[in-house]
Amino acid sequence: MPIYDYMCLECGHEFQRVERISEHEQADPRCPKCESAKVERVLTGAFVKTGKKS
Ligand SMILES: [Zn+2]
């Protein structure tokens, strides 16, 4: 089962969830720290989000 990394956009807390593929499509991940639903999936490994690329 894949592990997904998330980052909370509210408090910056990073956390992981283990989800099945079918689960992930309807997942409603929330920050375990502040319970915000404003979380962003962090893609680890091959792709790193830098924001700017020259
Ligand atoms: Zn949070």
Tab-separated table of all heavy atoms in Angstrom:
chain	number	residue	atom	x	y	z
A	1	MET	N	0.835	-1.204	0.000
A	1	MET	CA	0.000	0.000	0.000
A	1	MET	C	0.868	1.252	0.000
A	1	MET	O	1.824	1.332	0.753
A	1	MET	CB	-0.878	0.017	1.246
A	1	MET	CG	-2.315	-0.298	0.953
A	1	MET	SD	-3.297	-0.108	2.406
A	1	MET	CE	-3.074	-1.734	3.119
A	2	PRO	N	0.553	2.175	-0.848
A	2	PRO	CA	1.386	3.381	-0.927
A	2	PRO	C	1.167	4.304	0.266
A	2	PRO	O	0.080	4.373	0.832
A	2	PRO	CB	0.913	4.045	-2.226
A	2	PRO	CG	-0.464	3.539	-2.445
A	2	PRO	CD	-0.534	2.190	-1.816
A	3	ILE	N	2.229	4.971	0.593
A	3	ILE	CA	2.158	5.970	1.656
A	3	ILE	C	2.197	7.343	1.016
A	3	ILE	O	3.051	7.616	0.170
A	3	ILE	CB	3.340	5.815	2.635
A	3	ILE	CG1	3.254	4.462	3.320
A	3	ILE	CG2	3.341	6.934	3.672
A	3	ILE	CD1	4.455	4.175	4.208
A	4	TYR	N	1.273	8.162	1.389
A	4	TYR	CA	1.221	9.513	0.838
A	4	TYR	C	1.667	10.516	1.879
A	4	TYR	O	1.268	10.431	3.046
A	4	TYR	CB	-0.210	9.842	0.407
A	4	TYR	CG	-0.694	8.979	-0.737
A	4	TYR	CD1	-1.358	7.784	-0.498
A	4	TYR	CD2	-0.459	9.360	-2.051
A	4	TYR	CE1	-1.795	6.985	-1.544
A	4	TYR	CE2	-0.891	8.570	-3.103
A	4	TYR	CZ	-1.556	7.386	-2.842
A	4	TYR	OH	-1.980	6.594	-3.874
A	5	ASP	N	2.484	11.430	1.435
A	5	ASP	CA	2.924	12.505	2.316
A	5	ASP	C	2.046	13.728	2.087
A	5	ASP	O	1.760	14.093	0.957
A	5	ASP	CB	4.380	12.877	2.014
A	5	ASP	CG	5.337	11.808	2.458
A	5	ASP	OD1	5.289	11.432	3.630
A	5	ASP	OD2	6.129	11.349	1.624
A	6	TYR	N	1.670	14.332	3.180
A	6	TYR	CA	0.872	15.544	3.075
A	6	TYR	C	1.506	16.656	3.883
A	6	TYR	O	2.206	16.415	4.867
A	6	TYR	CB	-0.536	15.300	3.639
A	6	TYR	CG	-1.391	14.425	2.782
A	6	TYR	CD1	-1.454	13.054	3.013
A	6	TYR	CD2	-2.170	14.959	1.762
A	6	TYR	CE1	-2.249	12.238	2.233
A	6	TYR	CE2	-2.968	14.155	0.983
A	6	TYR	CZ	-3.009	12.791	1.224
A	6	TYR	OH	-3.806	11.991	0.463
A	7	MET	N	1.223	17.866	3.465
A	7	MET	CA	1.630	19.003	4.263
A	7	MET	C	0.421	19.892	4.485
A	7	MET	O	-0.329	20.197	3.558
A	7	MET	CB	2.740	19.794	3.570
A	7	MET	CG	3.353	20.827	4.487
A	7	MET	SD	4.687	21.747	3.712
A	7	MET	CE	3.738	22.925	2.778
A	8	CYS	N	0.254	20.299	5.716
A	8	CYS	CA	-0.853	21.176	6.057
A	8	CYS	C	-0.522	22.597	5.631
A	8	CYS	O	0.549	23.116	5.924
A	8	CYS	CB	-1.098	21.116	7.565
A	8	CYS	SG	-2.359	22.272	8.100
A	9	LEU	N	-1.457	23.216	4.922
A	9	LEU	CA	-1.217	24.583	4.466
A	9	LEU	C	-1.509	25.594	5.565
A	9	LEU	O	-1.186	26.765	5.449
A	9	LEU	CB	-2.099	24.871	3.237
A	9	LEU	CG	-1.841	23.967	2.030
A	9	LEU	CD1	-2.776	24.348	0.892
A	9	LEU	CD2	-0.397	24.033	1.576
A	10	GLU	N	-2.137	25.139	6.614
A	10	GLU	CA	-2.472	26.039	7.709
A	10	GLU	C	-1.313	26.179	8.685
A	10	GLU	O	-0.910	27.277	9.042
A	10	GLU	CB	-3.707	25.527	8.452
A	10	GLU	CG	-4.988	25.619	7.653
A	10	GLU	CD	-5.514	27.051	7.537
A	10	GLU	OE1	-5.089	27.903	8.324
A	10	GLU	OE2	-6.343	27.301	6.655
A	11	CYS	N	-0.808	25.041	9.135
A	11	CYS	CA	0.218	25.101	10.176
A	11	CYS	C	1.563	24.534	9.717
A	11	CYS	O	2.533	24.584	10.450
A	11	CYS	CB	-0.267	24.356	11.436
A	11	CYS	SG	-0.326	22.566	11.241
A	12	GLY	N	1.600	24.016	8.512
A	12	GLY	CA	2.866	23.537	7.991
A	12	GLY	C	3.261	22.156	8.480
A	12	GLY	O	4.344	21.661	8.168
A	13	HIS	N	2.384	21.529	9.225
A	13	HIS	CA	2.669	20.202	9.749
A	13	HIS	C	2.683	19.181	8.613
A	13	HIS	O	1.818	19.187	7.754
A	13	HIS	CB	1.600	19.838	10.782
A	13	HIS	CG	1.824	18.500	11.408
A	13	HIS	ND1	2.928	18.224	12.167
A	13	HIS	CD2	1.077	17.365	11.386
A	13	HIS	CE1	2.841	16.967	12.588
A	13	HIS	NE2	1.747	16.417	12.136
A	14	GLU	N	3.683	18.313	8.643
A	14	GLU	CA	3.749	17.271	7.628
A	14	GLU	C	3.350	15.943	8.236
A	14	GLU	O	3.741	15.632	9.355
A	14	GLU	CB	5.164	17.182	7.058
A	14	GLU	CG	5.513	18.383	6.197
A	14	GLU	CD	6.902	18.257	5.588
A	14	GLU	OE1	7.317	17.154	5.241
A	14	GLU	OE2	7.576	19.298	5.490
A	15	PHE	N	2.600	15.192	7.507
A	15	PHE	CA	2.168	13.897	8.013
A	15	PHE	C	2.001	12.922	6.860
A	15	PHE	O	2.032	13.297	5.701
A	15	PHE	CB	0.862	14.031	8.803
A	15	PHE	CG	-0.292	14.592	8.009
A	15	PHE	CD1	-1.265	13.754	7.489
A	15	PHE	CD2	-0.385	15.960	7.797
A	15	PHE	CE1	-2.330	14.270	6.767
A	15	PHE	CE2	-1.454	16.489	7.061
A	15	PHE	CZ	-2.423	15.634	6.559
A	16	GLN	N	1.849	11.667	7.234
A	16	GLN	CA	1.734	10.632	6.217
A	16	GLN	C	0.449	9.853	6.411
A	16	GLN	O	-0.037	9.688	7.516
A	16	GLN	CB	2.905	9.656	6.322
A	16	GLN	CG	4.233	10.297	5.962
A	16	GLN	CD	5.355	9.287	6.013
A	16	GLN	OE1	5.380	8.429	6.879
A	16	GLN	NE2	6.295	9.383	5.089
A	17	ARG	N	-0.083	9.410	5.314
A	17	ARG	CA	-1.244	8.539	5.356
A	17	ARG	C	-0.985	7.329	4.473
A	17	ARG	O	-0.422	7.446	3.406
A	17	ARG	CB	-2.486	9.262	4.832
A	17	ARG	CG	-3.165	10.138	5.854
A	17	ARG	CD	-4.171	11.025	5.161
A	17	ARG	NE	-5.109	10.253	4.360
A	17	ARG	CZ	-6.327	9.876	4.809
A	17	ARG	NH1	-6.731	10.219	5.994
A	17	ARG	NH2	-7.126	9.178	4.045
A	18	VAL	N	-1.439	6.205	4.942
A	18	VAL	CA	-1.389	5.013	4.103
A	18	VAL	C	-2.778	4.832	3.513
A	18	VAL	O	-3.764	4.747	4.228
A	18	VAL	CB	-0.998	3.779	4.937
A	18	VAL	CG1	-0.995	2.542	4.050
A	18	VAL	CG2	0.356	3.993	5.577
A	19	GLU	N	-2.834	4.829	2.198
A	19	GLU	CA	-4.134	4.739	1.540
A	19	GLU	C	-4.088	3.716	0.424
A	19	GLU	O	-3.098	3.596	-0.284
A	19	GLU	CB	-4.509	6.098	0.932
A	19	GLU	CG	-4.713	7.177	1.957
A	19	GLU	CD	-4.749	8.550	1.292
A	19	GLU	OE1	-4.599	8.619	0.066
A	19	GLU	OE2	-4.914	9.532	2.012
A	20	ARG	N	-5.180	3.045	0.279
A	20	ARG	CA	-5.301	2.253	-0.937
A	20	ARG	C	-5.612	3.198	-2.077
A	20	ARG	O	-6.121	4.296	-1.856
A	20	ARG	CB	-6.451	1.259	-0.796
A	20	ARG	CG	-6.196	0.271	0.304
A	20	ARG	CD	-7.393	-0.637	0.457
A	20	ARG	NE	-7.318	-1.323	1.734
A	20	ARG	CZ	-7.894	-2.483	1.972
A	20	ARG	NH1	-8.603	-3.070	1.047
A	20	ARG	NH2	-7.776	-3.057	3.139
A	21	ILE	N	-5.342	2.742	-3.285
A	21	ILE	CA	-5.608	3.584	-4.453
A	21	ILE	C	-7.078	3.989	-4.480
A	21	ILE	O	-7.420	5.144	-4.677
A	21	ILE	CB	-5.246	2.840	-5.755
A	21	ILE	CG1	-3.763	2.465	-5.749
A	21	ILE	CG2	-5.588	3.700	-6.959
A	21	ILE	CD1	-2.806	3.634	-5.748
A	22	SER	N	-7.951	3.046	-4.263
A	22	SER	CA	-9.384	3.330	-4.306
A	22	SER	C	-9.783	4.285	-3.188
A	22	SER	O	-10.691	5.097	-3.339
A	22	SER	CB	-10.180	2.030	-4.190
A	22	SER	OG	-9.845	1.361	-2.999
A	23	GLU	N	-9.092	4.172	-2.078
A	23	GLU	CA	-9.373	5.049	-0.951
A	23	GLU	C	-8.916	6.466	-1.248
A	23	GLU	O	-9.563	7.435	-0.896
A	23	GLU	CB	-8.600	4.541	0.269
A	23	GLU	CG	-9.470	4.123	1.415
A	23	GLU	CD	-8.599	3.517	2.513
A	23	GLU	OE1	-7.372	3.575	2.424
A	23	GLU	OE2	-9.161	2.987	3.449
A	24	HIS	N	-7.775	6.516	-1.913
A	24	HIS	CA	-7.152	7.810	-2.122
A	24	HIS	C	-8.016	8.737	-2.967
A	24	HIS	O	-8.042	9.934	-2.766
A	24	HIS	CB	-5.787	7.617	-2.793
A	24	HIS	CG	-5.074	8.906	-3.038
A	24	HIS	ND1	-4.607	9.688	-1.999
A	24	HIS	CD2	-4.785	9.575	-4.166
A	24	HIS	CE1	-4.047	10.779	-2.509
A	24	HIS	NE2	-4.140	10.733	-3.813
A	25	GLU	N	-8.739	8.152	-3.894
A	25	GLU	CA	-9.534	8.987	-4.792
A	25	GLU	C	-10.651	9.715	-4.060
A	25	GLU	O	-11.100	10.762	-4.493
A	25	GLU	CB	-10.112	8.120	-5.910
A	25	GLU	CG	-9.008	7.715	-6.881
A	25	GLU	CD	-9.529	6.829	-8.002
A	25	GLU	OE1	-10.741	6.594	-8.049
A	25	GLU	OE2	-8.705	6.371	-8.809
A	26	GLN	N	-11.089	9.140	-2.982
A	26	GLN	CA	-12.137	9.831	-2.237
A	26	GLN	C	-11.671	10.177	-0.828
A	26	GLN	O	-12.465	10.324	0.090
A	26	GLN	CB	-13.396	8.969	-2.194
A	26	GLN	CG	-13.114	7.539	-1.776
A	26	GLN	CD	-14.369	6.683	-1.938
A	26	GLN	OE1	-15.459	7.135	-1.660
A	26	GLN	NE2	-14.201	5.457	-2.370
A	27	ALA	N	-10.380	10.274	-0.705
A	27	ALA	CA	-9.827	10.576	0.602
A	27	ALA	C	-10.103	12.022	0.997
A	27	ALA	O	-10.172	12.901	0.155
A	27	ALA	CB	-8.329	10.319	0.602
A	28	ASP	N	-10.259	12.215	2.257
A	28	ASP	CA	-10.469	13.556	2.775
A	28	ASP	C	-9.485	13.773	3.921
A	28	ASP	O	-9.863	13.789	5.081
A	28	ASP	CB	-11.914	13.695	3.260
A	28	ASP	CG	-12.179	15.107	3.766
A	28	ASP	OD1	-11.498	16.045	3.309
A	28	ASP	OD2	-13.060	15.260	4.616
A	29	PRO	N	-8.219	13.882	3.543
A	29	PRO	CA	-7.192	13.952	4.573
A	29	PRO	C	-7.254	15.265	5.342
A	29	PRO	O	-7.529	16.318	4.763
A	29	PRO	CB	-5.881	13.835	3.792
A	29	PRO	CG	-6.212	14.332	2.427
A	29	PRO	CD	-7.649	13.953	2.198
A	30	ARG	N	-7.015	15.152	6.623
A	30	ARG	CA	-6.983	16.345	7.458
A	30	ARG	C	-5.724	16.353	8.285
A	30	ARG	O	-5.191	15.318	8.632
A	30	ARG	CB	-8.201	16.378	8.377
A	30	ARG	CG	-9.428	16.782	7.632
A	30	ARG	CD	-10.674	16.654	8.466
A	30	ARG	NE	-11.836	16.837	7.601
A	30	ARG	CZ	-12.473	18.002	7.459
A	30	ARG	NH1	-12.076	19.050	8.129
A	30	ARG	NH2	-13.499	18.095	6.669
A	31	CYS	N	-5.288	17.537	8.607
A	31	CYS	CA	-4.118	17.682	9.440
A	31	CYS	C	-4.400	17.126	10.832
A	31	CYS	O	-5.386	17.506	11.458
A	31	CYS	CB	-3.751	19.163	9.530
A	31	CYS	SG	-2.420	19.500	10.676
A	32	PRO	N	-3.557	16.214	11.308
A	32	PRO	CA	-3.777	15.645	12.632
A	32	PRO	C	-3.497	16.653	13.746
A	32	PRO	O	-3.881	16.440	14.891
A	32	PRO	CB	-2.780	14.479	12.684
A	32	PRO	CG	-1.730	14.837	11.696
A	32	PRO	CD	-2.407	15.641	10.625
A	33	LYS	N	-2.868	17.722	13.383
A	33	LYS	CA	-2.483	18.706	14.394
A	33	LYS	C	-3.560	19.767	14.589
A	33	LYS	O	-3.992	20.030	15.703
A	33	LYS	CB	-1.158	19.360	13.978
A	33	LYS	CG	-0.358	19.890	15.128
A	33	LYS	CD	1.010	20.315	14.631
A	33	LYS	CE	1.812	20.943	15.746
A	33	LYS	NZ	3.108	21.428	15.266
A	34	CYS	N	-3.987	20.378	13.486
A	34	CYS	CA	-4.958	21.464	13.612
A	34	CYS	C	-6.301	21.109	12.960
A	34	CYS	O	-7.215	21.902	12.958
A	34	CYS	CB	-4.389	22.742	13.012
A	34	CYS	SG	-4.236	22.709	11.215
A	35	GLU	N	-6.373	19.901	12.397
A	35	GLU	CA	-7.607	19.387	11.805
A	35	GLU	C	-8.086	20.189	10.605
A	35	GLU	O	-9.251	20.144	10.236
A	35	GLU	CB	-8.707	19.283	12.859
A	35	GLU	CG	-8.319	18.296	13.950
A	35	GLU	CD	-9.504	17.980	14.845
A	35	GLU	OE1	-10.441	18.790	14.867
A	35	GLU	OE2	-9.487	16.938	15.487
A	36	SER	N	-7.188	20.921	10.005
A	36	SER	CA	-7.547	21.647	8.798
A	36	SER	C	-7.647	20.685	7.622
A	36	SER	O	-6.909	19.710	7.521
A	36	SER	CB	-6.484	22.706	8.510
A	36	SER	OG	-6.699	23.249	7.223
A	37	ALA	N	-8.574	20.970	6.744
A	37	ALA	CA	-8.689	20.162	5.529
A	37	ALA	C	-7.837	20.730	4.416
A	37	ALA	O	-7.782	20.189	3.317
A	37	ALA	CB	-10.151	20.093	5.098
A	38	LYS	N	-7.195	21.835	4.700
A	38	LYS	CA	-6.331	22.454	3.700
A	38	LYS	C	-4.974	21.790	3.705
A	38	LYS	O	-3.994	22.328	4.235
A	38	LYS	CB	-6.154	23.941	4.014
A	38	LYS	CG	-7.328	24.788	3.611
A	38	LYS	CD	-6.942	26.236	3.747
A	38	LYS	CE	-8.104	27.155	3.446
A	38	LYS	NZ	-7.715	28.558	3.685
A	39	VAL	N	-4.923	20.621	3.155
A	39	VAL	CA	-3.655	19.909	3.092
A	39	VAL	C	-3.288	19.672	1.640
A	39	VAL	O	-4.152	19.566	0.774
A	39	VAL	CB	-3.713	18.569	3.853
A	39	VAL	CG1	-3.987	18.818	5.332
A	39	VAL	CG2	-4.731	17.639	3.251
A	40	GLU	N	-2.023	19.609	1.412
A	40	GLU	CA	-1.535	19.414	0.067
A	40	GLU	C	-0.691	18.161	0.033
A	40	GLU	O	0.123	17.931	0.909
A	40	GLU	CB	-0.691	20.627	-0.331
A	40	GLU	CG	-0.293	20.620	-1.788
A	40	GLU	CD	0.435	21.908	-2.156
A	40	GLU	OE1	1.624	22.018	-1.845
A	40	GLU	OE2	-0.189	22.809	-2.712
A	41	ARG	N	-0.889	17.375	-0.991
A	41	ARG	CA	-0.095	16.166	-1.106
A	41	ARG	C	1.327	16.519	-1.523
A	41	ARG	O	1.536	17.319	-2.409
A	41	ARG	CB	-0.701	15.207	-2.124
A	41	ARG	CG	0.042	13.897	-2.131
A	41	ARG	CD	-0.879	12.740	-2.324
A	41	ARG	NE	-1.223	12.547	-3.727
A	41	ARG	CZ	-0.504	11.766	-4.547
A	41	ARG	NH1	0.539	11.121	-4.113
A	41	ARG	NH2	-0.866	11.614	-5.781
A	42	VAL	N	2.252	15.932	-0.848
A	42	VAL	CA	3.649	16.139	-1.177
A	42	VAL	C	4.142	14.926	-1.932
A	42	VAL	O	4.026	13.800	-1.469
A	42	VAL	CB	4.494	16.325	0.100
A	42	VAL	CG1	5.960	16.529	-0.264
A	42	VAL	CG2	3.983	17.505	0.911
A	43	LEU	N	4.638	15.186	-3.114
A	43	LEU	CA	5.172	14.085	-3.895
A	43	LEU	C	6.640	13.908	-3.561
A	43	LEU	O	7.447	14.802	-3.764
A	43	LEU	CB	4.999	14.376	-5.385
A	43	LEU	CG	3.553	14.543	-5.836
A	43	LEU	CD1	3.524	14.995	-7.288
A	43	LEU	CD2	2.788	13.248	-5.684
A	44	THR	N	6.959	12.763	-3.073
A	44	THR	CA	8.345	12.506	-2.685
A	44	THR	C	9.047	11.729	-3.782
A	44	THR	O	8.413	11.118	-4.634
A	44	THR	CB	8.396	11.713	-1.369
A	44	THR	OG1	7.595	10.551	-1.513
A	44	THR	CG2	7.890	12.555	-0.218
A	45	GLY	N	10.335	11.735	-3.735
A	45	GLY	CA	11.097	10.944	-4.680
A	45	GLY	C	11.417	11.719	-5.935
A	45	GLY	O	12.123	12.718	-5.898
A	46	ALA	N	10.857	11.265	-7.041
A	46	ALA	CA	11.263	11.781	-8.342
A	46	ALA	C	10.951	13.264	-8.515
A	46	ALA	O	11.718	13.999	-9.099
A	46	ALA	CB	10.581	10.988	-9.440
A	47	PHE	N	9.839	13.654	-7.975
A	47	PHE	CA	9.384	15.005	-8.237
A	47	PHE	C	9.431	15.847	-6.966
A	47	PHE	O	8.839	15.515	-5.955
A	47	PHE	CB	7.959	14.964	-8.770
A	47	PHE	CG	7.399	16.330	-9.068
A	47	PHE	CD1	7.784	17.026	-10.196
A	47	PHE	CD2	6.482	16.888	-8.208
A	47	PHE	CE1	7.260	18.281	-10.454
A	47	PHE	CE2	5.947	18.142	-8.463
A	47	PHE	CZ	6.339	18.843	-9.599
A	48	VAL	N	10.168	16.925	-7.030
A	48	VAL	CA	10.229	17.836	-5.894
A	48	VAL	C	9.700	19.188	-6.323
A	48	VAL	O	10.130	19.752	-7.325
A	48	VAL	CB	11.672	17.977	-5.363
A	48	VAL	CG1	11.727	18.961	-4.201
A	48	VAL	CG2	12.208	16.618	-4.923
A	49	LYS	N	8.783	19.679	-5.553
A	49	LYS	CA	8.167	20.955	-5.888
A	49	LYS	C	9.040	22.084	-5.376
A	49	LYS	O	9.244	22.249	-4.179
A	49	LYS	CB	6.798	21.020	-5.247
A	49	LYS	CG	5.901	22.029	-5.882
A	49	LYS	CD	4.509	21.870	-5.290
A	49	LYS	CE	3.545	22.879	-5.891
A	49	LYS	NZ	2.240	22.777	-5.240
A	50	THR	N	9.558	22.851	-6.285
A	50	THR	CA	10.442	23.933	-5.870
A	50	THR	C	9.764	25.284	-6.002
A	50	THR	O	10.205	26.254	-5.420
A	50	THR	CB	11.723	23.942	-6.744
A	50	THR	OG1	11.363	24.046	-8.108
A	50	THR	CG2	12.522	22.675	-6.517
A	51	GLY	N	8.700	25.337	-6.769
A	51	GLY	CA	8.023	26.589	-6.945
A	51	GLY	C	8.598	27.388	-8.107
A	51	GLY	O	7.859	27.884	-8.938
A	52	LYS	N	9.869	27.480	-8.142
A	52	LYS	CA	10.510	28.218	-9.210
A	52	LYS	C	11.515	27.327	-9.929
A	52	LYS	O	12.221	26.541	-9.313
A	52	LYS	CB	11.251	29.410	-8.614
A	52	LYS	CG	10.866	30.737	-9.259
A	52	LYS	CD	11.659	31.848	-8.628
A	52	LYS	CE	10.912	33.184	-8.752
A	52	LYS	NZ	11.653	34.266	-8.145
A	53	LYS	N	11.530	27.477	-11.192
A	53	LYS	CA	12.499	26.713	-11.939
A	53	LYS	C	13.089	27.586	-13.034
A	53	LYS	O	12.342	28.223	-13.766
A	53	LYS	CB	11.821	25.479	-12.555
A	53	LYS	CG	12.783	24.352	-12.780
A	53	LYS	CD	12.041	23.111	-13.253
A	53	LYS	CE	12.994	21.955	-13.457
A	53	LYS	NZ	12.339	20.791	-14.030
A	54	SER	N	14.374	27.628	-13.095
A	54	SER	CA	14.989	28.512	-14.083
A	54	SER	C	15.499	27.719	-15.270
A	54	SER	O	15.804	26.563	-15.144
A	54	SER	CB	16.132	29.311	-13.453
A	54	SER	OG	17.060	28.437	-12.889
B	1	ZN	ZN	-2.320	21.802	10.433
